[in-house]
Amino acid sequence: GSDKEQQAARFLEKQGYVIRERNFRCRSGEIDIVARDGRYLVFVEVKYRADGRKGEPEEAVTIHKQNIIRKVARFYLLRYGFSEDVPCRFDVVGIRGEEIRVTKNAF
């Protein structure tokens, strides 16, 4: 939910990310957080699990979900006029209980 996404955004900011946008939506889907990390434009998916019984949060970012995020990222780049050579990355923030971790270049 939005509470976990807010937690993730604060965590990323402490890691040096600059949040550009949250909950970017288009017809194809949604990206939880769009941020800058150095020279990279980063598209971030946030996943939460209360505990490990249903697996790790990062495991919930399936191939299907990755494809949706890629489509939305392409639309974002076109909409805001980014050149084709802007370096992009897809990160996943996994929150399990109180632990927060970021997987850079997750896919």
Side-chain angles (χ1 to χ4, degrees):
S2 64
D3 178 51
K4 297 304 177 189
E5 289 170 11
Q6 191 171 355
Q7 254 187 301
R10 284 193 305 268
F11 177 81
L12 292 172
E13 286 175 330
K14 288 178 185 172
Q15 305 301 310
Y17 289 61
V18 176
I19 307 301
R20 289 183 51 94
E21 193 156 350
R22 292 186 45 204
N23 299 333
F24 176 79
R25 289 181 174 88
C26 69
R27 286 186 194 171
S28 298
E30 176 190 2
I31 293 177
D32 295 329
I33 297 171
V34 181
R36 277 278 189 189
D37 182 27
R39 64 188 194 98
Y40 288 93
L41 184 63
V42 186
F43 300 97
V44 181
E45 178 69 7
V46 178
K47 287 296 180 188
Y48 169 76
R49 294 285 180 267
D51 54 44
R53 282 185 277 183
K54 292 186 178 181
E56 295 301 322
E58 296 85 352
E59 294 171 342
V61 185
T62 63
I63 295 294
H64 177 72
K65 182 65 176 174
Q66 291 173 24
N67 289 333
I68 291 171
I69 294 168
R70 284 186 188 102
K71 279 185 192 176
V72 178
R74 272 189 228 107
F75 180 79
Y76 183 92
L77 294 170
L78 286 170
R79 181 172 188 200
Y80 290 107
F82 284 93
S83 67
E84 290 184 18
D85 61 347
V86 66
C88 296
R89 195 173 76 212
F90 297 93
D91 292 0
V92 175
V93 171
I95 303 174
R96 189 173 80 176
E98 296 302 312
E99 178 190 3
I100 302 175
R101 57 187 177 249
V102 62
T103 304
K104 294 183 179 185
N105 287 314
F107 56 93

